[in-house]
Amino acid sequence: MSKITLDKTDRKILAVLQADGRLSNQDVAEQVSLSPSPCLRRVKRLEEAGVIRQYVALLDPEKIGLGLLAYVNVRLEKHSDATAHSTARVLAPNLVTNTSPRADFAVAVAQWPEVVACYAMTGEMDYLLRVHVEDMEHFSRFMMATLLRHPAVLDVKSSFALQRIKDTTALPLV
């Protein structure tokens, strides 16, 4: 993963766009004291380098009926791929794939709309999921019918957000 060098002006542009990604190039240029053409070139360079990944609308989960936020730690079974494949070859030789339980889990998580973020973790648990659902009943359905039914899931521990203290998408531009 290559790191791009950002100067003071690049950081100003990024700060302005993190605060409001809908600003016109003219408005961004004015706020960072550049003329529009060099500002646009810089923004395009930042986009092409992948520093700016995408532009999105940030929704308020509660206003769209997703009032419960849970963080779920997930631990997967811990067998080596070689052991898993040799066991699978004996039990179901026609169904053996070249994927690991971790890879299978990652593919599955990408399909679950309730999971809005998933991180591979160090420590006791393998993954941390950020889950937005309507209510406890919806969470229970998600856990019982989806997450706990995944064959690689060994253990889960859930925590629920009681109050939002800080919630930002803006990265520190040091």
Side-chain angles (χ1 to χ4, degrees):
M1 186 156 68
S2 64
K3 184 177 169 185
I4 185 171
T5 303
L6 302 173
D7 66 16
K8 187 176 177 181
T9 304
D10 290 331
R11 291 179 192 285
K12 283 182 184 177
I13 290 170
L14 292 171
V16 167
L17 288 174
Q18 281 191 121
D20 186 353
R22 291 186 65 172
L23 288 176
S24 69
N25 181 60
Q26 178 71 39
D27 291 336
V28 174
E30 286 175 13
Q31 288 191 36
V32 300
S33 303
L34 277 180
S35 60
S37 291
C39 182
L40 184 59
R41 280 194 299 274
R42 284 176 176 262
V43 170
K44 292 291 182 198
R45 181 179 65 86
L46 293 167
E47 290 170 347
E48 289 168 4
V51 174
I52 298 173
R53 287 191 324 213
Q54 67 189 64
Y55 298 91
V56 300
L58 299 175
L59 309 180
D60 185 324
E62 291 178 8
K63 292 192 175 167
I64 60 168
L66 299 174
L68 186 64
L69 170 59
Y71 288 89
V72 182
N73 287 292
V74 179
R75 188 163 42 117
L76 301 182
E77 57 188 24
K78 297 284 192 208
H79 57 70
S80 72
D81 290 343
T83 304
H85 290 309
S86 64
T87 303
R89 278 188 195 92
V90 171
L91 298 175
N94 296 333
L95 300 177
V96 174
T97 65
N98 290 328
T99 60
S100 69
R102 291 173 90 64
D104 289 344
F105 183 77
V107 168
V109 166
Q111 306 303 311
W112 300 337
E114 295 89 349
V115 177
V116 297
C118 174
Y119 299 95
M121 305 297 289
T122 62
E124 183 181 321
M125 300 304 250
D126 297 310
Y127 291 95
L128 175 64
L129 310 180
R130 190 171 83 228
V131 177
H132 277 281
V133 290
E134 296 170 15
D135 51 25
M136 189 57 77
E137 184 179 321
H138 185 180
F139 182 76
S140 178
R141 282 193 317 271
F142 167 72
M143 291 295 287
M144 303 302 277
T146 305
L147 184 59
L148 293 174
R149 287 204 177 184
H150 192 281
V153 172
L154 187 61
D155 187 26
V156 297
K157 292 181 180 168
S158 303
S159 298
F160 299 96
L162 299 175
Q163 182 181 25
R164 182 178 6 186
I165 306 300
K166 181 178 180 179
D167 184 9
T168 181
T169 61
L171 297 175
L173 295 167
V174 284

